[in-house]
Amino acid sequence: MTLRLTNTAKTYPDGTRALLPTELYVDQGEIVSLLGPSGCGKTTLLRIIAGLETPDAGSEIWFGSDNVTSLPVERRKVGMVFQFFALFPNMSVRGNIGYGLKMQKLPKSEIDARVTEVLDMCQLQEFSGRAVDALSGGQRQRVALARAIAPRPRLLLLDEPLSALDAALREELRDELAVLLREFDITAIFVTHDQDEAMAIADRVAVMSNGQVVQSGTPEDLYRNPKSAFVAGFVGNAMRFDGTCEGTKLKLAGGTLTLPGDGSGQDVFVRAEDVQIEADGPLTGRVETVTFLGTHYRIGISGITTDVLASTYVGQNAPRAGETVTAEIKPEMLMLLPKGAAGE
Amino acid sequence: MFRSKTKVLQLAVTLLACAFLLVPTILSVMAGLTVNYFKGISSGLTLKWVYQVWELYSESIFLSIWLALACLIVTLIIGLPAAYGLARHPGWLSRMLEEFISLPLAVPGLALALALLQLYGTLKGFRASWTFILVGHVLYTLPFMVRSILAVLAAMDLKTLEEGAATLGASPWQRFRDIVVPNAMPGILAGALTVVTLSLGEFNLTWMLHTPYLKTLPVGLADSYASMRLEIASAYTLIFFIIIVPLLMAMQWASARAQRIAK
């Protein structure tokens, strides 16, 4: 099913504008992530799609060719996975997963068969008879997913489904979720504040800030071609240079950089992995911090720009703190974005 | 175990306190079973007085049980939706309402009864019917039901649970039936036992509201103390104990369970 939102906004009675008029289109089978910091309106948008919040007048929500704007949540046929799972404590794992099917008034034999099928898909067979409070966090998360998917919803909505889990488990389940969602072959919207999660799971990421979708695209596209300072900073932690542009030259405290284009009126950004420590580089600075991260080092260099510039160093002989180093940045790795459009 | 003096002292104090509470109870119960209280146990044991109580007061016993059950049904019908409403809409208004329905706890039963008499005393049919006493009992027991359910409901994320059920296709009524009621059950059970126990044992208010034809268990007890021989009054106490003590124990158990869940 395709999802189309036009002019969808949400204003709370006290005048807070949680969501500015938003257009969103999600294709059949596409997995879209709504990414943004807390309070950016991503959960509000998800809850409006689910039918748990009423949007402002003039908003329109289309599921395929059905206008569902005024349809109550229980008739929208969406599956939802909640942040803290919201499993029913009065039902077993089977009872939870079968509840949506029971609401569809399916015969008992069919409910049993469908529940078993979903239990298999989510590798929950051995827990089927358990009470939900006898499950671990990861198991609960899978039961919540199984419960949402069992009634074969038209659309699957996930509200920060991994944030209640501890870090190690989160990464494991993230990859598992990415595989499962593709197996289900379902249109899905996934809300998160974690860029890694969004990029690992989604086909397309919509970055939100202050109640607006500021940019939407494939993870690679967002990473390589951010349209605003906010997106550059939020996706991939780009750093801004504090210097003066003269044509295609950027003058910094620690040297001069060549830009890929005319830099006047532009802010220049770079990511840590594109700052290379090389002998005879045009930038000179002093190593402040050296952090070993297993696959690479993260080196903090001062003196190049106002803030400490981070650089990723792969290799054995990392520089030591206090040393003076020179660095090089390839012009094509620098991102030029219009000044003032910080959007933060 | 008896090595230290403090332990011995503790045990002695505990036993003394128990004796202080239990001896009068045992004496009273025994009085109801002896042939002649003034001659003591040596006069022999009998169930004669218990039978006499049954003959004289069985109506009171049945009326009380009937009232307790009716009171339970009414407090459930009012209390469950009220607790649900309060739990779903927390805020200062809900807290005010909760305090308001809890007022009968602070107002003496006698004053409550007087107010009811002043307001409805002239409605002869109502005044003389058992439903008049029921109204008093409901007023007095409702806060226990509401608070007991509310404590359990407030401890869980009811809103999200209901939203979960809603996304799975459950209508508001189905959510209430499948999610709210089953999860509130420990609170409902604790509240129900409290209501029944309180209704059975309520004297103050009932004594003011009763008519000679409508004596409840505790009112009958007072009547027997005032007008019957001591053995009958004591046998009555015994019957009262037999009815109320198991209920009290069940109430303790259910409340402890509900509190555990509310944590």
Side-chain angles (χ1 to χ4, degrees):
Chain A
M1 191 205 72
T2 59
L3 167 75
R4 190 158 51 86
L5 265 69
T6 54
N7 193 31
T8 300
K10 173 78 187 176
T11 310
Y12 284 109
D14 65 356
T16 315
R17 304 205 71 184
L19 187 69
L20 299 169
T22 299
E23 316 287 318
L24 185 72
Y25 179 81
V26 182
D27 212 349
Q28 160 65 34
E30 195 181 17
I31 300 167
V32 169
S33 173
L34 302 176
L35 173 68
S38 58
C40 72
K42 57 191 193 299
T43 297
T44 306
L45 180 54
L46 191 80
R47 289 172 63 84
I48 288 172
I49 297 168
L52 294 168
E53 300 279 356
T54 318
D56 296 348
S59 308
E60 272 184 37
I61 304 158
W62 291 81
F63 284 9
S65 56
D66 299 339
N67 184 344
V68 298
T69 316
S70 55
L71 213 59
V73 47
E74 62 265 26
R75 287 170 53 204
R76 285 199 187 183
K77 290 194 179 140
V78 295
M80 185 144 172
V81 177
F82 292 84
Q83 189 173 2
F84 298 104
F85 317 131
L87 298 178
F88 309 135
N90 57 316
M91 298 178 198
S92 69
V93 169
R94 270 199 101 89
N96 266 279
I97 299 175
Y99 188 72
L101 301 167
K102 216 169 99 185
M103 290 301 106
Q104 293 181 352
K105 301 207 162 47
L106 294 181
K108 203 174 176 309
S109 57
E110 199 183 333
I111 295 181
D112 278 345
R114 292 259 291 265
V115 170
T116 307
E117 183 194 339
V118 177
L119 281 169
D120 282 348
M121 273 179 108
C122 300
Q123 289 158 29
L124 287 163
Q125 304 92 328
E126 51 182 313
F127 309 111
S128 64
R130 282 218 199 153
V132 291
D133 46 10
L135 298 175
S136 71
Q139 289 157 359
R140 282 178 203 208
Q141 200 266 339
R142 269 184 288 174
V143 174
L145 183 66
R147 183 180 72 175
I149 210 80
R152 297 191 183 147
R154 298 196 275 185
L155 178 67
L156 184 64
L157 304 167
L158 304 105
D159 184 11
E160 305 247 8
L162 300 172
S163 65
L165 306 171
D166 58 65
L169 194 61
R170 199 181 309 156
E171 206 155 303
E172 186 190 320
L173 279 168
R174 185 185 75 194
D175 300 341
E176 200 180 293
L177 190 61
V179 173
L180 271 175
L181 288 180
R182 280 169 181 84
E183 237 173 81
F184 296 147
D185 188 26
I186 192 171
T187 312
I189 300 179
F190 178 98
V191 159
T192 181
H193 63 268
D194 182 315
Q195 45 150 323
D196 294 337
E197 236 171 77
M199 294 206 238
I201 293 175
D203 299 321
R204 187 155 60 89
V205 178
V207 181
M208 293 187 69
S209 168
N210 291 325
Q212 266 180 306
V213 175
V214 288
Q215 193 179 348
S216 155
T218 61
E220 291 88 345
D221 185 36
L222 285 176
Y223 196 82
R224 291 290 158 220
N225 303 305
K227 295 271 187 294
S228 64
F230 175 76
V231 175
F234 200 75
V235 181
N237 307 314
M239 299 164 285
R240 192 173 68 88
F241 282 114
D242 227 359
T244 44
C245 285
E246 283 171 14
T248 59
K249 295 284 174 200
L250 176 67
K251 285 220 156 88
L252 295 167
T256 304
L257 273 177
T258 309
L259 300 175
D262 185 9
S264 36
Q266 311 265 327
D267 269 332
V268 183
F269 290 84
V270 73
R271 291 208 167 82
E273 68 261 34
D274 299 324
V275 179
Q276 310 266 301
I277 294 177
E278 300 271 1
D280 307 325
L283 303 172
T284 312
R286 185 173 171 276
V287 175
E288 289 290 326
T289 56
V290 179
T291 316
F292 180 54
L293 293 165
T295 55
H296 63 271
Y297 293 87
R298 191 176 169 85
I299 316 267
I301 308 166
S302 66
I304 295 178
T305 178
T306 320
D307 297 323
V308 171
L309 188 72
S311 161
T312 301
Y313 186 89
V314 185
Q316 304 284 326
N317 305 308
R320 270 187 277 277
E323 283 180 10
T324 301
V325 289
T326 55
E328 184 187 13
I329 301 168
K330 296 208 172 74
E332 62 268 28
M333 293 306 172
L334 293 169
M335 295 176 283
L336 297 182
L337 293 167
K339 248 190 179 42
E344 199 133 8
Chain B
M1 185 183 171
F2 297 109
R3 238 170 263 162
S4 76
K5 276 182 184 162
T6 31
K7 281 268 167 69
V8 178
L9 192 67
Q10 274 174 14
L11 190 71
V13 171
T14 311
L15 286 177
L16 259 171
C18 287
F20 185 73
L21 292 169
L22 279 175
V23 169
T25 316
I26 294 166
L27 273 180
S28 175
V29 167
M30 288 315 291
L33 295 173
T34 46
V35 174
N36 186 326
Y37 177 69
F38 298 101
K39 286 186 186 157
I41 303 275
S42 59
S43 63
L45 291 172
T46 177
L47 285 175
K48 184 173 80 180
W49 310 121
V50 176
Y51 287 130
Q52 276 204 21
V53 171
W54 187 258
E55 272 169 25
L56 286 164
Y57 293 105
S58 63
E59 252 181 69
S60 290
I61 295 168
F62 286 125
L63 174 68
S64 261
I65 293 172
W66 169 248
L67 262 174
L69 290 178
C71 184
L72 171 61
I73 291 166
V74 175
T75 49
L76 266 179
I77 291 172
I78 304 173
L80 182 57
Y84 172 63
L86 292 174
R88 273 310 300 272
H89 306 283
W92 64 271
L93 194 65
S94 290
R95 209 157 315 138
M96 287 258 295
L97 270 171
E98 193 193 331
E99 293 304 324
F100 185 70
I101 52 171
S102 303
L103 265 183
L105 296 181
V107 178
L110 287 172
L112 205 62
L114 189 67
L116 284 173
L117 282 169
Q118 282 173 331
L119 194 58
Y120 301 116
T122 48
L123 303 171
K124 287 291 172 235
F126 181 45
R127 168 72 187 91
S129 112
W130 63 274
T131 51
F132 193 53
I133 303 177
L134 178 65
V135 168
H137 281 204
V138 167
L139 272 177
Y140 172 59
T141 56
L142 187 62
F144 293 94
M145 180 63 94
V146 172
R147 284 176 163 228
S148 170
I149 300 174
L150 193 57
V152 172
L153 288 185
M156 54 187 175
D157 188 357
L158 198 60
K159 181 168 169 271
T160 315
L161 284 181
E162 275 201 70
E163 285 180 351
T167 58
L168 292 166
S171 66
W173 162 245
Q174 284 167 326
R175 284 174 235 160
F176 184 73
R177 187 195 62 192
D178 298 342
I179 308 300
V180 179
V181 175
N183 285 308
M185 212 31 111
I188 295 175
L189 189 65
L193 283 162
T194 311
V195 165
V196 169
T197 311
L198 287 177
S199 171
L200 277 178
E202 210 298 319
F203 175 74
N204 273 337
L205 197 146
T206 321
W207 184 73
M208 286 280 282
L209 299 182
H210 87 281
T211 68
Y213 303 103
L214 289 170
K215 283 194 201 111
T216 64
L217 200 57
V219 174
L221 193 63
D223 184 80
S224 74
Y225 287 173
S227 53
M228 297 290 152
R229 56 184 291 172
L230 190 61
E231 288 85 347
I232 292 185
S234 301
Y236 199 133
T237 311
L238 177 62
I239 289 177
F240 189 73
F241 273 155
I242 289 170
I243 295 175
I244 211 91
V245 168
L247 269 170
L248 267 174
M249 287 165 71
M251 186 180 99
Q252 285 291 338
W253 167 79
S255 305
R257 186 162 157 266
Q259 263 167 25
R260 217 167 43 239
I261 286 163
K263 269 174 201 159

